[in-house]
Amino acid sequence: MYKVDIMSCVSDPLLIEEEVFNFWLAGLSVAQAVDMRYQRDSSCSSFDRTIVTLDTEDQYQTFSLLEPMLRKPPALASSPVVNMPFITDTLLQQYYSLDAEVARELVGRGQKMTAKLRKDLDTISDKTGIPLKSCLRQYDNIKRIYKEVDEKDGKVSQNIQRYYGLSPSLCQQYAAMIYILDNRIDVAPRKIPNLTYSALVKCVVVLMSEWCPASEGASDMDIDRAFLKELHSLKDRVSDSMLVGMINHGSETLKNNPEYPKNFVSELRKLAVKLMSIGYSLVHTKDYTDIFIDLDEMILVPWFTAGLSPTHMELGLSTLLTCYLSAV
């Protein structure tokens, strides 16, 4: 007869207060979190501060124990400690959440996730008003995800979703940041102060969709070299006379439209020339690093300085595309 030793552990169900978890993520101290609980939850007023403090400390300890599993989502999903899928998903989405101000600063430093960038977190924290602990978490999350998906085949956002189970929005944000960092695209806030984080993500998502190889299984971290050659040759294919004829033909109906300024057609000509000039400069991937700065300085600033609006820009680009397609 064999003797079998069995060890078992019985504990109360894991209880997590989402608001306290958010305080912990934000980098608030226990004392700060307790103050916030009293301010936001009227039910706390019926408890002695010592009890609320002990409860907050207990939850903070729980979050610290869970953090190693949050860094490795598969471990969290298989853990018997957190065995409710909706709680697991909520914790993951919030743990990997990003503050727009912090993310904008991190990708705007012009370097990959290095030790030097980590040392800049104090400065980023002071500038954004986000506690250092929260900045550090976001930095570590970006670096971890970058390392996990780097050099993997397929779409970056899909690889992130597959391993981390994040929402489509978060996957897009991380994919956009990884794309900027990997291609060393300069998006420094001091150089492009009007480029918000949300606008930056939208632009990069378009670049990854339209400017990267479209073949099955190809990574959207790489720029399509064939496409860059097409952009480079565009200036040679469109002569000055052809350009003038295209724009005059396409904008003829707008000249007498009171909704459009008199300088619209002349500014549209300048816009087309500058766009082709930017495309012509994109010979190698290294020329791609200043794409956002060039678009801002050569396209957006002159356009808006001339008194034209985003609506005019949209119509102008649509006109150029229509005219070009009809001419070739």
Side-chain angles (χ1 to χ4, degrees):
M1 180 179 293
Y2 293 96
K3 181 179 179 182
V4 178
D5 292 328
I6 299 176
M7 295 182 63
S8 64
C9 177
V10 178
S11 66
D12 293 330
L14 181 64
L15 298 177
I16 293 176
E17 282 198 40
E18 189 174 334
E19 187 175 52
V20 180
F21 184 62
N22 286 329
F23 294 154
W24 178 75
L25 289 178
L28 300 185
S29 66
V30 170
Q32 291 172 323
V34 170
D35 289 338
M36 293 297 292
R37 293 183 73 179
Y38 272 103
Q39 291 174 21
R40 298 187 180 185
D41 188 355
S42 58
S43 64
C44 285
S45 60
S46 59
F47 294 97
D48 183 79
R49 187 179 181 87
T50 302
I51 295 176
V52 177
T53 299
L54 289 174
D55 178 68
T56 305
E57 288 177 345
D58 184 59
Q59 292 199 56
Y60 266 45
Q61 290 175 0
T62 299
F63 302 149
S64 296
L65 292 173
L66 288 175
E67 189 165 22
M69 289 186 286
L70 288 167
R71 292 171 178 166
K72 297 181 178 180
L76 182 67
S78 60
S79 171
V81 178
V82 186
N83 56 6
M84 289 176 282
F86 73 93
I87 291 182
T88 300
D89 184 64
T90 299
L91 293 177
L92 279 176
Q93 305 307 322
Q94 293 179 342
Y95 186 77
Y96 286 93
S97 62
L98 295 160
D99 290 303
E101 303 92 336
V102 174
R104 182 70 181 86
E105 287 293 324
L106 287 173
V107 296
R109 296 278 160 163
Q111 53 189 302
K112 294 188 177 182
M113 310 305 285
T114 61
K116 183 180 183 305
L117 180 56
R118 203 173 197 272
K119 292 179 181 178
D120 289 342
L121 292 178
D122 283 316
T123 303
I124 293 176
S125 175
D126 292 338
K127 183 176 181 179
T128 61
I130 305 296
L132 179 59
K133 184 179 178 181
S134 181
C135 293
L136 181 60
R137 170 181 59 82
Q138 294 176 67
Y139 166 88
D140 287 339
N141 285 346
I142 297 171
K143 183 176 181 179
R144 187 182 313 109
I145 292 178
Y146 188 176
K147 184 177 180 180
E148 178 65 33
V149 303
D150 189 30
E151 299 184 358
K152 276 187 169 59
D153 294 333
K155 306 301 181 185
V156 178
S157 60
Q158 292 177 2
N159 289 332
I160 294 173
Q161 202 286 325
R162 189 177 299 116
Y163 187 81
Y164 288 91
L166 303 182
S167 67
S169 174
L170 273 177
C171 288
Q172 280 195 343
Q173 290 181 59
Y174 277 103
M177 286 186 290
I178 290 171
Y179 183 84
I180 292 170
L181 294 168
D182 195 66
N183 288 289
R184 298 183 181 276
I185 300 175
D186 192 348
V187 291
R190 61 184 175 81
K191 296 180 181 179
I192 323 175
N194 295 320
L195 181 59
T196 64
Y197 173 67
S198 60
L200 177 60
V201 170
K202 289 178 182 177
C203 290
V204 174
V205 168
V206 172
L207 291 181
M208 296 176 74
S209 173
E210 304 295 334
W211 288 35
C212 297
S215 57
E216 185 69 26
S219 170
D220 52 2
M221 292 276 280
D222 303 319
I223 305 163
D224 191 338
R225 294 181 180 276
F227 179 70
L228 289 185
K229 289 181 180 179
E230 287 288 324
L231 289 178
H232 180 73
S233 63
L234 185 62
K235 188 175 182 180
D236 297 328
R237 295 203 304 269
V238 180
S239 64
D240 291 341
S241 59
M242 179 181 176
L243 178 62
V244 172
M246 284 166 48
I247 294 176
N248 285 341
H249 174 73
S251 58
E252 189 67 34
T253 57
L254 301 175
K255 288 183 178 179
N256 299 320
N257 191 328
E259 294 184 9
Y260 293 94
K262 293 181 179 180
N263 64 340
F264 178 76
V265 175
S266 61
E267 290 300 324
L268 188 56
R269 290 196 191 100
K270 297 176 186 177
L271 174 70
V273 171
K274 291 174 182 177
L275 283 173
M276 288 192 294
S277 177
I278 292 175
Y280 187 79
S281 69
L282 300 176
V283 182
H284 306 290
T285 53
K286 65 180 181 179
D287 303 318
Y288 191 58
T289 58
D290 292 332
I291 182 69
F292 281 97
I293 295 175
D294 291 341
L295 289 173
D296 184 64
E297 294 179 350
M298 297 175 65
I299 305 298
L300 297 180
V301 172
W303 185 265
F304 295 133
T305 301
L308 299 171
S309 69
T311 302
H312 298 142
M313 171 73 76
E314 185 176 354
L315 177 67
L317 293 175
S318 176
T319 301
L320 289 176
L321 178 61
T322 301
C323 293
Y324 175 76
L325 292 177
S326 63
V328 296

